[in-house]
Every structure is written in C-alpha cells, then in structure tokens.
Amino acid sequence: QKEVEQNSGPLSVPEGAIASLNCTYSDRVSQSFFWYRQYSGKSPELIMSIYSNGDKEDGRFTAQLNKASQYVSLLIRDSQPSDSATYLCAVNRKTGNQFYFGTGTSLTVIP
Amino acid sequence: KAGVTQTPRYLIKTRGQQVTLSCSPISGHRSVSWYQQTPGQGLQFLFEYFSETQRNKGNFPGRFSGRQFSNSRSEMNVSTLELGDSALYLCASSGPGQGIDGYTFGSGTRLTVV
C-alpha cells in the first residue's frame, strides 16, 4: 500500500465549477498535510497546508482533513482555466521528518 | 528573499557518464531534500540532508549520492548514468517549521540521458 494515494485523473471541470480533489494516506501518525500545484514543465508550489480536522479556507481554495478516515481533500471554487495543473498531495510524519507525495491528479478547467 | 536555486536547468549526458547537480536553499534553511520526478513514477524521494548530514534516504541505488556543505548548499551526484535516469530532479528546502510550512522547491534540473 502506498503512503499517499490520489486518483490520477484526468479530472475535467467547466469554468466556474467546483473542482474536488481527493487524497488518502496510510499512516495514522501523519501530522501535517499539504497541497501543491504543478504546472506542466514547472516545479511544485505550495498552495495549502492543514493540520487539524475540519476545513481551512484560503480564497477560492478549501482544504478538508478527516484524520479518522485518513483522507484530505482540496476544493477549488469558481475554477479558472489557470487552475489547470497537476495537484500533488503530501503528508508529513513527525517520525523521520519525511514528506510523502501522491502521484498527483491532473485537472483541466474547460473554458 | 531569494528562493531555492538549482543549477543547471538542463543537462544532456551520455550513458555511463556521471553528473553533478547543485542546489542552494533559501537563506536560513538547513534542510535540503532531493526528489526525482518522472511521468510514470511521480515524485520519488532520494535523500535529505540537514546540517551536512544525511538524515533520510530513499530507495535508490548507490549510484545516487549527495552531500551538503556548511553553507547548506547541496550537491547530488549520479554516476554511471542509465537511460532510466532521465528525469526532472527537484531540490526542496525547508526551515525549522517544515512540518508546518512544508517545502519550497527549486525550478529543477531536467536531465536527459542519451
């Protein structure tokens, strides 16, 4: 079982819709969770982090964490074509202080 | 402040050669991690250095090695290159709050082995 799993997609949504990206992780002691966005040919950039159960909102982005079910999700409201990218979920365990990445979900926002 | 700087941006090497990649972290960051990214495998962890010591290591063969200098700059070396080593190599730096702040990635070095 992989440490972090994501649906690879591709996920296509129309402009203005809500895009929902999901991620599950295997280790219950995982403590912090991150979403990175990676445009084609570019390096990943951090867009959201979350540590506590519940929702965290930042502009059009909302991260949701459910530790009991071991999943993290990212909602993008009012999706724009510029949101078209691969979204990587990452999990940090305090033990070993190491990050584990999912393989990413490719999102396309259709104008 | 300056971000994470990786050099060179692009490299073309021949099978059997060796290559050295460089990474300068954000000022004040002492942890440098290296990842290999390929379309099929995603981001794969190579190793992490902290204060000149390798703190974590991924499942890569011994041909992949690294080091960190006293100024936190890090180098990664791949010897006896194979075609399968063609990938984007990413360096990420993190500070004391990495569990909260996450990584900052450099622009990467795209290595092509022919």
Side-chain angles (χ1 to χ4, degrees), chain B residues 12-18 80-85 112-114:
Chain B
I12 300 176
K13 290 287 188 179
T14 305
R15 268 185 306 174
Q17 288 187 311
Q18 76 165 16
T80 319
L81 284 165
E82 301 176 359
L83 295 179
D85 297 332
T112 302
V113 182
V114 298

Side-chain angles (χ1 to χ4, degrees), chain A residues 45-75:
Chain A
E45 58 176 324
L46 180 66
I47 54 172
M48 288 286 289
S49 58
I50 187 167
Y51 328 106
S52 305
N53 277 325
D55 295 0
K56 179 181 178 183
E57 189 174 313
D58 184 0
R60 296 186 296 111
F61 298 96
T62 299
Q64 299 175 318
L65 173 61
N66 184 323
K67 289 189 177 181
S69 301
Q70 294 176 240
Y71 85 77
V72 194
S73 62
L74 179 70
L75 300 178

Side-chain angles (χ1 to χ4, degrees), chain B residues 67-98:
Chain B
R67 59 178 175 168
Q68 186 180 35
F69 302 95
S70 58
N71 62 356
S72 294
R73 189 178 72 86
S74 177
E75 287 182 347
M76 189 192 101
N77 184 275
V78 188
S79 62
T80 319
L81 284 165
E82 301 176 359
L83 295 179
D85 297 332
S86 295
L88 178 66
Y89 289 88
L90 290 163
C91 163
S93 84
S94 54
Q98 76 173 50

Side-chain angles (χ1 to χ4, degrees), chain B residues 8-41:
Chain B
R9 290 294 307 278
Y10 303 93
L11 268 177
I12 300 176
K13 290 287 188 179
T14 305
R15 268 185 306 174
Q17 288 187 311
Q18 76 165 16
V19 66
T20 299
L21 313 181
S22 178
C23 172
S24 293
I26 290 173
S27 178
H29 284 189
R30 294 162 64 187
S31 171
V32 174
S33 298
W34 289 89
Y35 285 83
Q36 181 194 67
Q37 189 175 37
T38 57
Q41 299 294 322

Side-chain angles (χ1 to χ4, degrees), chain A residues 25-40:
Chain A
Y25 59 95
S26 61
D27 194 331
R28 287 190 173 273
V29 302
S30 299
Q31 293 195 318
S32 47
F33 308 85
F34 305 86
W35 284 99
Y36 286 82
R37 177 176 62 198
Q38 186 174 24
Y39 292 113
S40 180

Side-chain angles (χ1 to χ4, degrees), chain A residues 32 36 38 43 51 96-97 99, chain B residues 37 55-56 98-100 103 106:
Chain A
S32 47
Y36 286 82
Q38 186 174 24
S43 61
Y51 328 106
N97 209 23
F99 287 82
Chain B
Q37 189 175 37
R55 188 160 67 172
N56 284 303
Q98 76 173 50
I100 295 175
Y103 283 153

